[in-house]
Amino acid sequence: RRAQVFAERLQKAGIGVCYPGLESHANHELFKRIGRPEYGFGGLLTIDAGTNSRAEALMDDLQNTEGFGFMAVSLGYFDTLMSCSASSTSSEMNGDALRDAGIAPGLLRMSVGFTGSLEQRWQQLERALDRVGLRS
């Protein structure tokens, strides 16, 4: 449920977000049809920070200033984890290969955890987005 709320709020703020629970997602209807309603659309979402340096700055701010979560390449944990694929799990790929795979330089993957309240975590995310210039 948290990832759904974050995705909706990020989209409303004009931030590039991809989450299957959003009606704008290309496979939203497919996910609705094959998913289990009691589980929602999962806890993974992506934010397009535009550039690798901005994605890294956002993750650094969220981890080290806000205590929001942790930078990690594995996204399986009870707390929020985040990763910039272009500079971590897919860093061996060149620009063309990244583009062909649909991995934008500033693509930040986030697995929304269970710690903290929804509003507390959203406020942390908003402050970090503001500090790195993703929200106007």
Side-chain angles (χ1 to χ4, degrees):
R1 167 100 178 103
R2 289 174 180 229
Q4 178 82 35
V5 172
F6 284 179
E8 290 168 356
R9 290 179 181 180
L10 288 164
Q11 186 176 54
K12 185 176 180 181
I15 295 168
V17 60
C18 184
Y19 181 71
L22 296 173
E23 290 184 13
S24 60
H25 189 279
N27 292 311
H28 176 75
E29 290 302 319
L30 174 63
F31 276 87
K32 268 177 55 175
R33 195 172 68 249
I34 66 174
R36 304 246 332 246
E38 64 271 24
Y39 295 128
F41 291 91
L44 284 171
L45 60 89
T46 64
I47 296 171
D48 187 355
T51 66
N52 182 272
S53 61
R54 204 165 356 181
E56 296 285 342
L58 178 59
M59 290 188 304
D60 181 69
D61 192 285
L62 285 168
Q63 176 179 292
N64 299 314
T65 303
E66 291 292 343
F68 179 86
F70 302 100
M71 290 182 267
V73 293
S74 169
L75 299 180
Y77 190 55
F78 70 91
D79 206 347
T80 297
L81 299 177
M82 54 211 149
S83 151
C84 180
S85 299
S87 61
S88 62
T89 56
S90 302
S91 61
E92 75 287 350
M93 298 169 73
N94 67 30
D96 290 336
L98 287 168
R99 200 170 19 264
D100 291 346
I103 302 171
L107 185 72
L108 185 153
R109 295 171 49 220
M110 183 181 294
S111 173
V112 180
F114 296 108
T115 58
S117 73
L118 174 66
E119 287 309 314
Q120 173 194 25
R121 292 299 187 211
W122 174 249
Q123 289 170 6
Q124 291 173 310
L125 182 54
E126 277 187 310
R127 288 191 299 263
L129 291 166
D130 289 343
R131 280 192 293 269
V132 300
L134 283 174
R135 260 182 16 133
S136 49

